[in-house]
């Protein structure tokens, strides 16, 4: 599972407690979880393209950009939220 760093940042802002931050920080200890950062200028054009096409906030744009680059679906309980952003790409990130 790939978890965008900005998605974790948004979750931390929403949860706003030391316990929640500790749990979010512990996710990287799982063997099959990779935290995707904004490291490297090569990711900037993809993030900018997502933001230009769909007008999401930076947290959501990072999720879509990482899903597109990694060719992975977005795991969500709120599918409609991600439909517009996902449809901006040739291979949409959400699936049935």
């Amino acid at each position: 599972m790939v978890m965008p760093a900005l998605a974790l940042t948004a979750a931390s802002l929403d949860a706003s407690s030391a316990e929640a931050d500790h749990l979010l920080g512990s996710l990287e200890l799982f063997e099959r979880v990779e935290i995707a950062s904004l490291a490297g200028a090569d990711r900037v054009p993809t993030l900018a393209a997502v933001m230009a096409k769909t007008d999401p906030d930076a947290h959501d744009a990072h999720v879509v950009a990482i899903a597109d680059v990694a060719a992975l679906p977005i795991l969500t309980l709120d599918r409609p939220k991600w439909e517009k952003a996902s449809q901006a790409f040739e291979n949409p990130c959400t699936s049935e």
Side-chain angles (χ1 to χ4, degrees), residues 9-66:
T9 303
S12 179
L13 287 171
D14 287 345
S16 66
S17 76
E19 183 179 6
D21 286 343
H22 177 71
L23 289 171
L24 290 170
S26 299
L27 289 172
E28 68 183 344
L29 299 176
F30 288 95
E31 185 176 314
R32 298 194 185 264
V33 173
E34 178 184 341
I35 307 300
S37 68
L38 285 173
D42 59 326
R43 301 227 173 119
V44 172
T46 303
L47 184 59
V50 171
M51 294 179 83
K53 290 178 184 178
T54 62
D55 195 33
D57 64 27
H59 304 112
D60 291 352
H62 193 220
V63 169
V64 175
I66 293 297

